[in-house]
Every structure is written in C-alpha cells, then in structure tokens.
Amino acid sequence: MPITATDVYADTIARVCGEGVDLDPVERGLIHLKRQKVISGRRLVALLGRHQREIRPE
C-alpha cells in the first residue's frame, strides 16, 4: 500500500513529540482499507484490537 503525505507528516510530528509510532504491515493494511472505505472505523478499531491481542507476548 502506498505511503501518503499524511503518513509522512504524522510520522514526523510523532518523532518531534518524542513518541515514535511504528506500524506493522497488518496495521498499515487495515488503515489502508479504512482510507479506501472498505471497512468502517468501528471495524478498524475492532480488528486493530484483535491484532494487538494476538501479537502481544504472554
């Protein structure tokens, strides 16, 4: 999926604020689907939450 100017801007602001945010390919894919209006915001949040629970070390 393409990286947009908004992605670059958001990454820069996060770095300047001292809060690095690194998204993995699954998270980037889900956000891309939301931007393309394939999934709703509510569905995005649910899928991101599920993804985080699955990758979290126990």
Side-chain angles (χ1 to χ4, degrees):
M1 75 216 89
I3 295 177
T4 65
T6 305
D7 295 327
V8 174
Y9 176 75
D11 288 342
T12 303
I13 295 298
R15 259 187 275 113
V16 168
C17 293
E19 300 179 14
V21 178
D22 294 324
L23 299 177
D24 67 26
V26 172
E27 293 165 330
R28 285 192 184 274
L30 290 172
I31 291 169
H32 180 71
L33 290 174
K34 170 62 175 102
R35 286 182 180 159
Q36 298 298 312
K37 298 184 173 146
V38 175
I39 61 174
S40 68
R42 183 175 287 203
R43 184 73 174 146
L44 171 67
V45 170
L47 291 171
L48 284 172
R50 181 185 296 176
H51 175 64
Q52 288 298 311
R53 285 189 299 277
E54 289 176 357
I55 65 170
R56 184 183 322 147
E58 303 231 1

